[in-house]
Amino acid sequence: MTNIPMTDRIKHLVNELDEAVKTMRQEPEDGRTWSWEDEHVAGLNLADAAEALILALPAAIWPPSWFKEEPEQARALTPYEKQLVDELLEQLGS
């Protein structure tokens, strides 16, 4: 594993991520529930904190295999998809 220098920036971002995780796991007060908006905001904060940390870490720690593009396998069209394509081609031809 690569040694990651724990710069002040990375330490700060780790703390932000930790706080975001704690917020996501926090239970509401007895008899109450979190609103959808509260949960949504907490999720966005968690995603933002994780993204900031990922972007701040040195690129050398990410395995190169994560960035190899896998060729997409062509798949056969379903009969419905084929019908849609045929109808589209017919419309374009007229």
Side-chain angles (χ1 to χ4, degrees), residues 28-44:
E29 296 173 4
D30 287 338
R32 301 194 64 176
T33 60
W34 295 121
S35 69
W36 182 90
E37 186 174 330
D38 289 339
E39 289 187 19
H40 180 70
V41 168
L44 290 175

Side-chain angles (χ1 to χ4, degrees), residues 11-88:
K11 288 178 186 175
H12 171 74
L13 293 171
V14 167
N15 286 333
E16 280 191 2
L17 182 59
D18 184 53
E19 286 300 316
V21 168
K22 286 177 184 174
T23 299
M24 280 295 293
R25 292 181 176 162
Q26 186 177 17
E27 294 292 326
E29 296 173 4
D30 287 338
R32 301 194 64 176
T33 60
W34 295 121
S35 69
W36 182 90
E37 186 174 330
D38 289 339
E39 289 187 19
H40 180 70
V41 168
L44 290 175
N45 290 341
L46 179 61
D48 289 345
E51 180 183 29
L53 178 59
I54 289 167
L55 293 174
L57 291 171
I61 70 164
W62 308 114
S65 62
W66 288 8
F67 300 99
K68 290 181 184 173
E69 289 190 31
E70 294 181 18
E72 282 191 33
Q73 300 291 331
R75 65 172 180 84
L77 295 176
T78 66
Y80 177 70
E81 291 169 330
K82 178 144 178 41
Q83 177 187 344
L84 291 176
V85 170
D86 291 343
E87 289 175 8
L88 177 62

